Amino acid sequence: MKNHLNDSLFHVDSLALVIIGLVVFIAVCVASFASRYMQGDTKYRAFFVQLVLLVIFVAAMVSADHMAILFGTWCISNILLVRLMIHKAGWKAAKASGLLAKKNYLLGAVCVAAAFVTLYMLTGETSIQALHQHAESHFTVIPLILLLIGAMTQSAIWPFHRWLISSLNSPTPVSAIMHAGLVNGGGFLLARFAPLYLNHSYLLTAIFVIGIVTALLGTLWKLMQSDVKRMLACSTMGQLGFMLAQCGLGLFPAAIAHL
């Protein structure tokens, strides 16, 4: 018999509340800055409408318990972010950055979708909380690898980091909401499925190694930059790598605290 958790569409736990609080706080700060920074912009109102929608869908994403809802809100949030990145279609550099991010997010979406479909086929569950009850089953590691790739593309983990460096061509408020907000989505995804990863020590070791490599590369590249915004991007990459390394050590609460 299916667990009653399968009937749940949302699950607002401490992880969801922490992420929602973080994103709302950042969005308020960005909106306050953007209200002055973007005065006179022809798409002034459109920017704020999309910013509000982004916060709403991110809140729905982090509190979703049904895998289809999580995937749908994940995709919509990234679409909104790409639209914000290409705020001015006439800015060739920003448009190119948005298209690069779009390709990156598309790869991540395909991996996450494949992971969710595989998890459903293996367990018959659509509820994330119900999936946690299968943590001891030691089912195939393939969906967990796919989820890891999806998390890496979202959080600009090496070798999926180019879109983050390129994103500096977007308007400053967009860079702010991205660097301090959605780029952390990979850490959230791993934390949400943490019970499934804790039973695969070799996969955790691989996550740790990838995280350390990303942290070192981001830190070294930051020291080579002369542009402040590029230094910020490389620093963000390094911090996200460190967050991934914490996940690899099984310290998922610490990774969220670091985030």
Side-chain angles (χ1 to χ4, degrees):
M1 180 179 292
K2 294 251 183 176
N3 190 288
H4 71 279
L5 287 171
N6 281 316
D7 298 326
S8 175
L9 297 179
F10 293 93
H11 178 72
V12 182
D13 58 1
S14 57
L15 174 60
L17 291 174
V18 166
I19 302 298
I20 291 172
L22 172 66
V23 172
V24 170
F25 173 74
I26 294 168
V28 169
C29 294
V30 170
S32 176
F33 171 71
S35 64
R36 301 181 299 275
Y37 180 87
M38 302 189 70
Q39 279 288 348
D41 192 290
T42 55
K43 293 185 177 181
Y44 184 85
R45 290 186 179 180
F47 173 85
F48 285 97
V49 169
Q50 291 180 92
L51 180 62
V52 171
L53 288 174
L54 180 61
V55 172
I56 291 173
F57 279 104
V58 169
M61 178 186 75
V62 300
S63 57
D65 186 50
H66 196 288
M67 288 191 292
I69 295 178
L70 194 158
F71 177 71
T73 50
W74 174 282
C75 292
I76 294 173
S77 298
N78 283 332
I79 289 171
L80 288 168
L81 182 58
V82 170
R83 287 180 60 86
L84 285 170
M85 290 177 68
I86 313 178
H87 179 71
K88 290 284 190 180
W91 295 0
K92 293 183 178 180
K95 186 175 181 179
S97 298
L99 292 177
L100 180 60
K102 181 179 179 180
K103 293 177 182 178
N104 183 84
Y105 291 153
L106 180 60
L107 172 61
V110 170
C111 290
V112 172
F116 286 172
V117 170
T118 306
L119 287 171
Y120 175 73
M121 292 175 65
L122 290 171
T123 65
E125 305 284 4
T126 57
S127 166
I128 297 171
Q129 297 305 307
L131 277 174
H132 291 171
Q133 298 183 4
H134 294 269
E136 301 293 335
S137 300
H138 292 284
F139 48 76
T140 178
V141 75
I142 292 177
L144 300 184
I145 294 176
L146 289 170
L147 279 177
L148 173 60
I149 295 174
M152 289 171 63
T153 59
Q154 187 73 24
S155 290
I157 300 298
W158 180 87
F160 305 105
H161 63 282
R162 288 182 58 245
W163 72 269
L164 182 65
I165 308 298
S166 175
S167 68
L168 299 175
N169 295 314
S170 303
T172 299
V174 178
S175 297
I177 192 68
M178 178 171 51
H179 279 262
L182 269 187
V183 77
N184 297 302
F188 159 77
L189 188 65
L190 293 179
R192 179 57 82 203
F193 290 89
L196 304 184
Y197 282 94
L198 291 174
N199 286 299
H200 297 277
S201 58
Y202 52 91
L203 185 55
L204 287 176
T205 300
I207 292 174
F208 173 76
V209 171
I210 295 171
I212 288 297
V213 169
T214 302
L216 290 174
L217 289 176
T219 302
L220 289 173
W221 288 340
K222 183 189 74 171
L223 298 175
M224 300 176 185
Q225 305 303 320
S226 57
D227 179 84
V228 174
K229 289 187 74 174
R230 291 185 69 86
M231 290 178 67
L232 171 63
C234 294
S235 176
T236 299
M237 176 185 169
Q239 293 299 315
L240 290 168
F242 183 64
M243 179 189 70
L244 193 73
Q246 289 175 304
C247 291
L249 291 173
L251 303 175
F252 291 95
I256 295 301
H258 181 82
L259 179 156

